[in-house]
Amino acid sequence: LAVMVTDSDAAAAPSAGCCSQVVLVNRSTASTSELLAGALHDELSAPLVGVTTYGKGRSQRVVQLADGTSTLLVSTLKYFTPQRTEIDQVGLKPDLVCDPPEVVGGKWSGGRVDGKEQGGLSLLDDPCVKLAAEKLTNRTL
């Protein structure tokens, strides 16, 4: 999962010194989502908000073996961001760290910001969404 949060007034961002968008990432942000998040971060200076991504930075080709029942996975590509940051097995590190809510025992936990438990269940109560919105509003990192 990678979610981009944008400010409707993108023209103000360059003079304000930060950004007109941020990208929310979590442990499930993998593969193509990581490539997109990395490209937005490198090319548009979009801050990453959340936790370190999954780290799937390889593409594999499936080869059927002659016995008809076995297959071989051959790594054919390794993913990098535009600034050559490697993704595979390390993921992307967020610029602003917060733990998103998770389902625990069938119920949503509120997530954490700066180690403090957050309450709430709606998207607007998500501590990472709040942090992203705050950064767009204040335009500071």
Side-chain angles (χ1 to χ4, degrees):
L1 174 65
V3 179
M4 187 167 76
V5 180
T6 62
D7 183 351
S8 59
D9 187 13
S15 63
C18 178
C19 50
S20 60
Q21 63 277 323
V22 296
V23 181
L24 297 173
V25 295
N26 64 23
R27 292 170 192 87
S28 297
T29 304
S31 198
T32 305
S33 297
E34 283 174 299
L35 285 175
L36 176 61
L40 292 168
H41 182 266
D42 287 359
E43 296 296 315
L44 300 178
S45 299
L48 302 180
V49 177
V51 295
T52 301
T53 64
Y54 184 80
K56 185 188 183 306
R58 290 182 188 257
S59 177
Q60 296 176 326
R61 189 172 134 228
V62 178
V63 178
Q64 186 72 38
L65 299 181
D67 68 5
T69 60
S70 302
T71 57
L72 177 67
L73 295 176
V74 179
S75 293
T76 56
L77 297 171
K78 198 168 187 181
Y79 302 155
F80 294 89
T81 70
Q83 293 183 6
R84 306 282 303 153
T85 302
E86 188 170 348
I87 296 171
D88 195 47
Q89 297 184 9
V90 293
L92 298 171
K93 306 284 185 248
D95 300 297
L96 304 166
V97 177
C98 67
D99 289 319
E102 297 177 359
V103 176
V104 178
K107 296 182 180 182
W108 282 99
S109 85
R112 294 179 179 275
V113 173
D114 295 328
K116 296 177 185 168
E117 184 73 29
Q118 306 293 305
L121 300 176
S122 76
L123 179 63
L124 296 177
D125 290 328
D126 181 316
C128 296
V129 172
K130 284 181 178 180
L131 185 59
E134 177 185 310
K135 292 305 166 189
L136 285 173
T137 302
N138 295 333
R139 298 193 195 275
T140 60
L141 276 180

